[in-house]
Amino acid sequence: MKHPKEEKTFVMVKPDGVRKGLIGEVIKRFEQHDLKIVALEMFQPDFGQIDNHYPKKEEWITRLGEKTKTTYEKYGYDLLEDFGTDDTSKIGPEVRKWLVDYMLSAPLVKMIVQGVHAVDVIRKLAGDTLPYRAAVGTIRGDFSIDSPALANKEKRAVANIIHCSETPEEAEHEIKHWFGDAKIYNYKRFGVDE
Ligand code: GDP
């Protein structure tokens, strides 16, 4: 068993976060909550990196399509008119493509963040996936009001400032994918580690 202070998670500032000048704000919020940045880099991803970041499993892709269908039904939009189909297994790949295009549209900032319950605490600080629904005080709730109703109409991914791992297993996988053998730093935070 790892020490609770050694839990690590993976975070990426997405193109809208970078272009809104929120890199510092995002890092500040993590550090304010006694979390420690142990690796950090700005980079321009290539297609393969982003394509491999998002799951390719049919189940995950169809779920994206189902989410889109739910939004269309909720707001009374016509799925057939915009997608030419109401089959979620065909809509899913289209939404996944929007996600890949979005993630390639500006440089990203990737980081590994460490601390007690790092995965859950960062998800809490990030807020709901859909910014219009995210609580005030969270990163997504404070800096975006984007919604799938608007994003789907504009044929693009929901812009929600950051990506962060959902589970410790996902964090481990994403850290390996994005950092490989790169150095993870170890230092003592005042008031946290000593
Ligand atoms: P996350 O783990 O909170 O990022 O959320 P998901 O894994 O469920 O979704 C991945 C990404 O897809 C989100 O961060 C959004 O950028 C985008 N997204 C999620 N749901 C929708 C949707 O209904 N429509 C569109 N256009 N994009 C979505």
Side-chain angles (χ1 to χ4, degrees):
M1 266 307 265
K2 267 191 204 149
H3 190 280
K5 285 183 184 172
E6 283 175 17
E7 182 169 315
K8 291 181 184 62
T9 190
F10 175 74
V11 176
M12 213 145 44
V13 183
K14 292 180 168 187
D16 56 315
V18 170
R19 296 183 61 199
K20 281 179 167 175
L22 292 173
I23 300 166
E25 178 68 33
V26 166
I27 293 174
K28 185 189 85 178
R29 288 177 180 225
F30 298 162
E31 292 193 310
Q32 271 178 341
H33 285 81
D34 286 351
L35 294 165
K36 191 156 67 172
I37 311 299
V38 293
L40 177 72
E41 189 190 336
M42 176 176 261
F43 70 110
Q44 177 65 52
D46 61 32
F47 173 83
Q49 282 174 308
I50 295 294
D51 192 45
N52 287 327
H53 168 73
Y54 287 109
K56 290 181 176 171
K57 276 193 207 137
E58 211 176 304
E59 192 190 325
W60 189 89
I61 296 174
T62 301
R63 184 175 65 95
L64 269 185
E66 275 158 11
K67 279 189 193 169
T68 308
K69 188 173 182 174
T70 306
T71 308
Y72 266 68
E73 282 166 357
K74 181 171 171 190
Y75 294 100
Y77 297 142
D78 189 348
L79 208 56
L80 279 174
E81 189 184 305
D82 285 353
F83 288 93
T85 175
D86 59 3
D87 181 347
T88 50
S89 71
K90 295 208 172 73
I91 294 167
E94 183 75 12
V95 177
R96 192 180 184 282
K97 198 168 136 319
W98 297 344
L99 258 172
V100 173
D101 288 347
Y102 158 54
M103 292 297 276
L104 290 173
S105 67
L108 308 173
V109 175
K110 63 181 176 181
M111 64 189 99
I112 302 173
V113 188
Q114 180 177 327
V116 181
H117 296 298
V119 172
D120 286 345
V121 173
I122 296 261
R123 291 293 291 190
K124 183 179 77 172
L125 296 175
D128 195 290
T129 299
L130 306 178
Y132 85 97
R133 226 163 52 178
V136 170
T138 64
I139 293 167
R140 289 162 170 171
D142 284 350
F143 298 106
S144 174
I145 53 159
D146 203 18
S147 83
L150 179 64
N152 295 346
K153 267 279 166 221
E154 294 179 352
K155 296 195 174 294
R156 59 169 178 80
V158 168
N160 53 9
I161 315 205
I162 64 170
H163 163 81
C164 46
S165 312
E166 226 173 316
T167 62
E169 296 70 40
E170 195 177 287
E172 203 179 317
H173 172 82
E174 292 182 345
I175 287 170
K176 211 168 279 167
H177 175 65
W178 287 106
F179 280 92
D181 294 329
K183 178 129 181 70
I184 297 176
Y185 291 86
N186 189 13
Y187 59 97
K188 287 193 188 333
R189 274 274 311 261
F190 287 127
V192 177
D193 296 317
E194 56 184 28

